[in-house]
Amino acid sequence: MEIEKISMLVNNENNVEGILIKYKNNNRVKYYSEYAGNLSEEDKEDFCILVTRILFSSKCNEKTEFVYPNDKKYPCLSDSILEHSKDDYCFGSPEHALLMSTLSIGVASSYINPVLFLGEIIPGVIATSVGTISSLKGIRDTNKRIKHFGKTARQKFLRNVYAVALGLNLLSTTAIGAMAGYHEFNKTQLEKDIDDFIAKKDDSIENPFDLDIDYSNTTRIELLMTAITENPNLNEEDKNILYSFKKLLQRNPYIDYYQVYEKFASLGIIYTDEKDKDLSQATYDIKDNYIIDYEFINEGDYYHQKEISELAMNIIGSFDDYKNLNNGMKELLIDMYITPDSYDPFQTRDEIIARCMEIIVGIDTLLKAYSTRDFGIIEEHLKEINDSEEDYEGLVKILKDESVTTEQIFDAYDKYTQPKNKEFVKTK
């Protein structure tokens, strides 16, 4: 290590308030800095010792410059010292290292719990990684200061703290590894099937809607159908179920063809005889694009078709913030386009809501808002029909309030279809 230059920032009282040392280590230029204004009282003592050693060192005298407030260099040097001081404490504080060590040990120790989730492992890995970096950087920086300027009691103490923190992190690494192994060994068959699907999923799908080609409507629909028929993750029965979306796609010009193709081409359906903790018979994971069917062995063909269709409808569109309308829209579209020949006289509460909205704004407006996932299209249409804020809020309530009754639905519908002369102001 070779010191090239020492710059001391001196205030009007002739006190050294900051130091910037430029040196070479392994032919690389590096900097060390301290700013007294950022130090605790204990650290200021070390700072004073450092200043004294530099001032009384014959080797440092010729390389030391003093910069005062009236010097043009003063602002630049002050900024540089503060900048380098920030770097010194970014990941190296003993408190940070010990905190992460303790956190990683705490998380890792839970591996003895027989109920394990991947969510318990990941925070431990992150904490261990950050804690290890903090500890190693702290040891490095402390050793560097000792090497440059001699050993103080505080520096010896800090080095011991960092060493303990590093040891704790290494211990937690072993524990987290054991935890991960335990979790992998105890995975259910469903968890293994999901992992297998995600691992084998092909993300390099050639999407024809990625090309700059103006397809005819007929060609667009046929291309979407090939995304289903050529999907290697689906069995023939499920391909037939999803192929029944063709009529809906033909009559819906508002869909995002690129996204719909991408989703249909990579969709997976995983069957299991395990029970869902929420008692759902099937669920859809929008991120990894797979459906889990928990009760297939106990379902009739018609119910299975309707259930899979409702979940796959998430590929077409959604009213995310309006759960009742979202569910009702799925049921309405299935009855109209997917299973029009399977008459079911029973209408759920949510389907009643969707049919009321169909009467108010029309199926085309509903379809456009649903497919573009933009409720604002419906809102704009509603304002043209009835300018009553009170009636609007009453109608919106039935679209999302899961405790709403059938009587409240018809009451809100009746009020909304009788316009009043009030200034419409949307309240959020």
Side-chain angles (χ1 to χ4, degrees):
M1 189 271 293
E2 177 188 354
I3 293 178
E4 291 194 346
K5 189 174 184 179
I6 301 173
S7 299
M8 288 195 178
L9 204 63
V10 183
N11 59 27
N12 287 324
E13 287 76 36
N14 285 323
N15 294 320
V16 178
E17 59 181 18
I19 297 175
L20 180 65
I21 301 174
K22 180 181 178 182
Y23 65 97
K24 273 189 176 180
N25 191 16
N26 296 327
N27 291 323
R28 293 182 62 186
V29 175
K30 296 187 177 183
Y31 293 89
Y32 167 86
S33 70
E34 290 283 11
Y35 190 77
N38 290 341
L39 301 177
S40 65
E41 290 302 318
E42 189 175 0
D43 288 334
K44 283 180 181 178
E45 292 181 12
D46 289 342
F47 179 74
C48 291
I49 293 173
L50 169 60
V51 172
T52 303
R53 285 178 176 168
I54 291 174
L55 294 176
F56 284 89
S57 169
S58 58
K59 293 182 179 179
C60 295
N61 284 342
E62 59 184 21
K63 298 178 181 179
T64 301
E65 69 169 352
F66 298 92
V67 181
Y68 291 86
N70 59 351
D71 193 318
K72 292 181 180 179
K73 295 181 182 178
Y74 187 92
C76 297
L77 181 60
S78 178
D79 291 343
S80 183
I81 289 174
L82 287 172
E83 180 182 348
H84 287 290
S85 295
K86 288 177 184 177
D87 291 341
D88 241 4
Y89 294 97
C90 182
F91 276 106
S93 73
E95 295 86 355
H96 196 261
L98 283 173
L99 173 64
M100 289 301 169
S101 304
T102 304
L103 177 61
S104 59
I105 281 287
V107 174
S109 63
S110 67
Y111 79 94
I112 59 174
N113 189 323
V115 182
L116 295 172
F117 302 96
L118 191 60
E120 293 177 344
I121 298 174
I122 294 175
V125 172
I126 295 173
T128 300
S129 300
V130 175
T132 301
I133 293 171
S134 300
S135 304
L136 289 173
K137 186 178 187 303
I139 291 173
R140 186 201 68 181
D141 290 348
T142 305
N143 286 341
K144 182 176 69 176
R145 296 184 188 191
I146 290 173
K147 180 179 179 181
H148 293 173
F149 313 110
K151 187 184 298 182
T152 66
R154 174 173 169 74
Q155 286 166 338
K156 288 171 61 179
F157 171 74
L158 283 177
R159 187 162 60 177
N160 290 336
V161 170
Y162 285 123
V164 170
L166 180 60
L168 288 173
N169 279 288
L170 294 177
L171 178 62
S172 66
T173 301
T174 304
I176 290 172
M179 177 183 174
Y182 183 89
H183 176 73
E184 185 68 29
F185 180 76
N186 285 274
K187 276 184 179 179
T188 64
Q189 185 57 49
L190 175 58
E191 289 175 318
K192 293 177 181 177
D193 290 342
I194 293 173
D195 289 346
D196 186 55
F197 168 75
I198 294 174
K200 291 180 179 178
K201 189 167 63 173
D202 185 6
D203 293 324
S204 59
I205 296 171
E206 292 186 12
N207 193 323
F209 296 99
D210 195 27
L211 304 174
D212 188 19
I213 299 176
D214 186 17
Y215 300 110
S216 67
N217 185 58
T218 301
T219 303
R220 282 198 295 264
I221 301 306
E222 290 307 319
L223 288 173
L224 290 180
M225 292 300 99
T226 62
I228 295 170
T229 57
E230 301 301 320
N231 185 332
N233 306 316
L234 303 175
N235 60 37
E236 289 304 313
E237 182 180 355
D238 291 326
K239 288 180 181 180
N240 290 334
I241 291 175
L242 295 175
Y243 202 87
S244 62
F245 275 64
K246 184 174 183 177
K247 186 181 294 185
L248 169 60
L249 297 171
Q250 286 174 327
R251 300 184 182 182
N252 184 1
Y254 307 112
I255 60 174
D256 183 333
Y257 291 97
Y258 178 89
Q259 288 295 332
V260 171
Y261 184 95
E262 200 86 359
K263 288 289 187 180
F264 272 136
S266 62
L267 178 69
I269 300 180
I270 301 171
Y271 296 100
T272 178
D273 56 4
E274 294 181 22
K275 302 295 182 182
D276 178 43
K277 61 182 179 180
D278 296 324
L279 301 180
S280 299
Q281 291 170 303
T283 58
Y284 174 65
D285 186 296
I286 192 169
K287 175 180 175 291
D288 289 313
N289 198 34
Y290 62 82
I291 292 171
I292 301 177
D293 194 328
Y294 294 92
E295 295 283 352
F296 176 66
I297 57 175
N298 299 321
E299 296 171 358
D301 291 342
Y302 168 74
Y303 188 84
H304 177 66
Q305 179 182 17
K306 188 170 183 180
E307 186 176 68
I308 296 301
S309 297
E310 284 184 5
L311 292 171
M313 199 67 70
N314 289 287
I315 293 174
I316 305 297
S318 177
F319 290 124
D320 293 327
D321 297 328
Y322 304 86
K323 187 171 183 180
N324 298 345
L325 179 59
N326 191 49
N327 292 336
M329 189 65 179
K330 292 178 184 180
E331 296 172 12
L332 177 63
L333 293 178
I334 289 171
D335 287 347
M336 292 179 66
Y337 299 111
I338 310 300
T339 59
D341 300 327
S342 301
Y343 176 71
D344 185 354
F346 175 75
Q347 290 186 350
T348 66
R349 180 204 63 181
D350 293 340
E351 187 173 358
I352 291 173
I353 290 174
R355 289 194 179 276
C356 285
M357 292 299 293
E358 178 194 1
I359 295 172
I360 296 174
V361 302
I363 187 61
D364 189 68
T365 299
L366 266 185
L367 201 56
K368 183 177 182 180
Y370 180 76
S371 302
T372 58
R373 304 172 193 264
D374 181 7
F375 186 79
I377 295 171
I378 292 177
E379 181 182 325
E380 183 179 351
H381 201 87
L382 288 173
K383 288 196 292 186
E384 296 173 356
I385 298 171
N386 185 340
D387 58 4
S388 166
E389 177 188 355
E390 180 183 351
D391 292 348
Y392 175 84
E393 295 299 337
L395 187 64
V396 167
K397 181 180 179 181
I398 72 169
L399 304 183
K400 58 171 68 174
D401 185 353
E402 295 184 58
S403 64
V404 71
T405 64
T406 305
E407 183 180 354
Q408 290 173 314
I409 294 170
F410 289 122
D411 183 55
Y413 168 76
D414 290 339
K415 284 184 178 180
Y416 207 83
T417 51
Q418 298 174 17
K420 300 176 180 61
N421 293 322
K422 295 180 182 179
E423 183 180 356
F424 184 95
V425 180
K426 168 85 170 63
T427 57
K428 295 184 178 180

